[in-house]
Amino acid sequence: TTMRGAQMAQIKAGDQVGPGQPFMQIVDTSSMLVKATVNQVDAEKIRIGAKATIRLDGYPDLVLPGEVNGIGAMSRAVMRLTDYVSEVPVVVRLLRTDPRVLPDLSASVDVVVTREADTLMTPRESVFRDAPDGPPYVFVRQGDGWLRRTVELGPANNILTAVRSGVKAGDVVARERPPARTAGGKK
């Protein structure tokens, strides 16, 4: 953009451009990058080369593979949030292109930070503990009641937790603590 009269306007033929003033960006659409940020709390989990899934807001049906190409060395404060929240810049390279991908489209990126094969997943709210460092357990439906079962947990995200043992495929687990009288006799 340039100043035209009292307003900023898109540069067009005939406008005067000052020395060093950028007025154009040439993009190689065969090698696209997504510039993203990640919360400072999650940044330590991300590694260069980690696989990623990219979704474009303008094309919700389009899912593209990617990989982390760069991680910022320093965090930066987020102006719209409170002062104690910082984000770390991350660059993700698209591994496959699509003609719909254009520069400056908004996107979301899911980065794989850990992978565990053949593991059951359960909502985080269905895992209980009696103390912060106590053994985790779930309540599994049995007949018309609930049976308390100790479980071994795997990796987790903000929504789901991997359960390595203690439940099997098809078990129905409670998302809330059942009333004490139906919890297998344990309080």
Side-chain angles (χ1 to χ4, degrees):
T1 58
T2 189
M3 197 68 159
R4 191 174 298 125
Q7 295 182 348
M8 295 298 289
Q10 191 72 24
I11 293 176
K12 64 180 184 176
D15 283 339
Q16 194 170 32
V17 179
Q21 178 184 355
F23 70 95
M24 170 189 296
Q25 185 174 18
I26 299 173
V27 178
D28 178 4
T29 56
S30 68
S31 178
M32 299 287 281
L33 301 171
V34 175
K35 293 178 181 177
T37 57
V38 64
N39 188 298
Q40 64 187 357
V41 175
D42 298 320
E44 72 177 56
K45 301 172 191 167
I46 296 180
R47 300 287 180 258
I48 301 286
K51 298 299 176 201
T53 303
I54 300 158
R55 290 178 176 79
L56 300 175
D57 296 338
Y59 303 102
D61 61 318
L62 181 61
V63 178
L64 297 168
E67 72 178 13
V68 176
N69 197 39
I71 303 169
M74 295 181 62
S75 66
R76 59 181 182 220
V78 179
M79 295 305 183
R80 67 186 180 280
L81 299 175
T82 54
D83 293 338
Y84 59 87
V85 176
S86 289
E87 293 180 335
V88 175
V90 176
V91 177
V92 178
R93 182 172 60 91
L94 274 73
L95 297 178
R96 182 171 54 86
T97 60
D98 184 279
R100 296 174 282 183
V101 177
L102 300 170
D104 294 330
L105 291 178
S106 58
S108 64
V109 178
D110 291 319
V111 177
V112 177
V113 294
T114 186
R115 183 178 301 272
E116 193 157 321
D118 299 325
T119 302
L120 298 174
M121 302 297 287
T122 190
R124 285 186 74 140
E125 65 266 20
S126 67
V127 178
F128 302 94
R129 295 175 191 264
D130 292 331
D133 60 343
Y137 59 90
V138 298
F139 291 100
V140 178
R141 178 170 297 286
Q142 186 167 6
D144 62 348
W146 298 93
L147 179 65
R148 177 177 161 162
R149 280 201 204 148
T150 302
V151 291
E152 178 188 353
L153 302 178
N157 62 24
N158 294 336
I159 302 166
L160 300 170
T161 299
V163 180
R164 293 179 176 146
S165 66
V167 295
K168 62 184 185 306
D171 282 348
V172 176
V173 296
R175 290 184 128 177
E176 296 176 353
R177 190 180 295 271
R181 68 184 188 293
T182 63
K186 296 185 180 185
K187 294 185 180 180

